[in-house]
Amino acid sequence: MLVVKKSQLPKAGKGLFTTHEISKGETVCEYEGERITWAEAERRNEEDDQSGYVFYITKKNCIDAFAYTDTFGRYANDAAGLGRVKGLRNNSVYEVRENKVYIVATRKIKAGAEVFVSYGKQYWKVMKEELERAEKERKKKKKKEKKNKNKNKSDKKAGKQGSGGSSKKSKTKAESRKAA
């Protein structure tokens, strides 16, 4: 039997655990979800921000488990991913058989252990690129917010200086922009 609970991997969310021993070569579970094309998977990733649960078989045949929260396969994490923990390693692989995807044990998995399966080097390459892109966007946004905050402070400061006097130097930046 399989259960879903908090993963041993940091920031991985939920993980897939077995309540009984699984032998090497034994099928752990099927990776179930909606059948879609790769083009649809890309569209969902871009427009709906639904990513991370698509298994690619062919361009015309992918499995999207995003909305299938009651299936087990989607909860198997990759111990060799970005959030590694010393002593944890993958104990299963994905196998495609007759157009279906299964998670199969590559060694004995003890009762109570988490099921870990490799997502592949390409997956982690893309994830790393996405995280780096998101970090650049975050820094860019933070820099822009800081610039706007500093601009607003200087505008307020210039406004305070200009409110008490009548000299041309005390004209605020906002008033200068209005005049232009």
Side-chain angles (χ1 to χ4, degrees):
M1 181 171 187
L2 300 169
V3 294
V4 176
K5 58 185 183 179
K6 187 177 179 347
S7 177
Q8 298 172 80
L9 299 174
K11 299 181 184 177
K14 297 176 181 176
L16 181 63
F17 293 79
T18 180
T19 59
H20 67 282
E21 186 175 287
I22 298 174
S23 302
K24 180 180 178 178
E26 187 178 337
T27 298
V28 176
C29 66
E30 182 179 350
Y31 191 87
E32 298 174 283
E34 180 183 0
R35 294 289 176 151
I36 61 172
T37 64
W38 182 245
E40 176 61 14
E42 288 180 318
R43 186 202 64 76
R44 288 179 183 186
N45 185 42
E46 292 298 319
E47 295 175 17
D48 303 336
D49 198 28
Q50 293 181 9
S51 62
Y53 297 98
V54 175
F55 189 95
Y56 178 95
I57 300 171
T58 67
K59 274 182 141 181
K60 294 184 178 187
N61 187 17
C62 300
I63 299 172
D64 184 359
F66 184 84
Y68 286 68
T69 56
D70 59 341
T71 62
F72 290 117
R74 74 188 299 264
Y75 295 103
N77 291 309
D78 186 347
L82 300 176
R84 295 179 183 183
V85 172
K86 189 174 181 175
L88 296 180
R89 61 188 184 119
N90 290 330
N91 51 23
S92 54
V93 293
Y94 290 109
E95 279 187 15
V96 179
R97 294 186 233 136
E98 297 178 15
N99 237 8
K100 290 184 178 185
V101 178
Y102 298 93
I103 296 174
V104 178
T106 55
R107 57 190 171 91
K108 182 171 78 173
I109 305 172
K110 294 179 181 177
E114 187 167 359
V115 176
F116 293 114
V117 61
S118 174
Y119 296 172
K121 288 181 182 179
Q122 184 61 29
Y123 174 86
W124 290 113
K125 180 183 177 208
V126 169
M127 287 303 293
K128 187 175 179 185
E129 289 168 359
E130 284 291 313
L131 289 170
E132 288 170 354
R133 184 194 57 75
E135 181 63 16
K136 280 182 185 177
E137 286 295 317
R138 188 190 66 75
K139 284 181 179 179
K140 188 177 176 182
K141 184 178 178 182
K142 191 174 181 179
K143 187 177 180 181
K144 187 176 181 180
E145 287 172 354
K146 187 176 180 180
K147 185 178 178 182
N148 287 339
K149 188 176 179 181
N150 289 339
K151 184 182 171 304
N152 290 339
K153 279 184 181 179
S154 66
D155 285 353
K156 284 181 184 179
K157 189 175 182 181
K160 285 181 183 177
Q161 289 174 348
S163 62
S166 60
S167 76
K168 289 185 180 182
K169 274 189 169 183
S170 66
K171 195 181 238 187
T172 66
K173 287 181 182 179
E175 289 170 334
S176 298
R177 283 193 296 272
K178 283 182 185 176

